[in-house]
Every structure is written in C-alpha cells, then in structure tokens.
Amino acid sequence: QVQLVESGGRLVQSGDSLNLTCTGSGRNLTYGAMGWFRQTPGQEREFLVGITWSTGVPQYMNSVKGRFAISRDLTKNTMSLKMDNLKPEDTAVYFCAFGESLYKLRRRQPESWGQGTQVSVSS
C-alpha cells in the first residue's frame, strides 16, 4: 500500500506559475509509476502526465505539453508538477496517483490516490 499526499495548490492569476508536490510513503515505489490528474465538477478525472519511477520516462497529454513539467526525487519519494503560464481552464482539483504502470494510470486504475489539492486560476 502506498499513501500519497499532495500540496502546493492555491489561488493564482492567469500567467502565473505554480509547483505541486506529491509525497509517497508506505512501500518501495521502484517498480511502479506516478502521475498527475485533475478534475472539475461534473467531469471525469483527467490524466495529465505520468512518469515511470525507476527510469524517469514521462508521458504528457497534449493539453499540458509545453506548460507543465513532471519530475521525481528518488531519494525523497516525492514527485513534482511545475506549471507555467496558468490559464483559467486549468482550475481544478489536482490529484497524484501511484500505479503498477503508466498504462494503469491512463486507464484510471491506480493502486493509490492522493486526496487532491485545489488550484484556482483567475482571469
């Protein structure tokens, strides 16, 4: 079992930057993948980007390519999402997740979810 906690969400203005952090605990993450999702009311939870834990291979969705960047720190069991040039449509609850593979994450079949952190972008 992996436990995840997100942090860093807050209210920002259009064009601002923001960094989110996910901290994992409970067991070794080496053979899995971590990723970020977001969700707005009435919408499905949207996969944004994921990364294989051991090799650091990322996978980005087109909606965030060029603006968001994922990274992980193997020594601290943390994963970060650097978000630049934020837009009002980025407003959502952002979740981190751990799963067996990137495929499992994209299928919304993670082993563990964080509880989410709110990101609000004003125009």
Side-chain angles (χ1 to χ4, degrees):
Q1 184 179 2
V2 173
Q3 294 173 296
L4 305 172
V5 179
E6 304 97 335
S7 63
R10 62 182 179 91
L11 173 64
V12 299
Q13 295 183 342
S14 294
D16 284 356
S17 296
L18 192 62
N19 291 296
L20 306 181
T21 299
C22 176
T23 301
S25 63
R27 72 173 180 89
N28 198 322
L29 306 177
T30 299
Y31 302 109
M34 295 269 280
W36 290 97
F37 295 73
R38 67 185 178 190
Q39 188 171 27
T40 56
Q43 303 295 319
E44 66 181 14
R45 192 164 294 183
E46 176 189 13
F47 174 77
L48 300 176
V49 57
I51 190 167
T52 55
W53 200 249
S54 60
T55 59
V57 178
Q59 184 179 85
Y60 292 88
M61 297 300 289
N62 289 335
S63 60
V64 300
K65 284 183 178 178
R67 295 195 300 121
F68 292 8
I70 192 171
S71 63
R72 86 275 193 263
D73 189 328
L74 299 179
T75 67
K76 299 180 179 179
N77 278 354
T78 58
M79 175 181 66
S80 296
L81 183 67
K82 184 178 184 296
M83 303 184 291
D84 292 330
N85 192 24
L86 284 164
K87 307 175 185 299
E89 51 264 43
D90 294 319
T91 295
V93 177
Y94 284 71
F95 299 87
C96 67
F98 171 82
E100 182 181 356
S101 65
L102 287 174
Y103 174 79
K104 288 285 190 178
L105 293 182
R106 289 190 289 105
R107 296 280 294 179
R108 303 183 190 90
Q109 297 175 343
E111 178 180 317
S112 301
W113 291 103
Q115 294 192 15
T117 184
Q118 177 72 47
V119 174
S120 298
V121 185
S122 63
S123 59

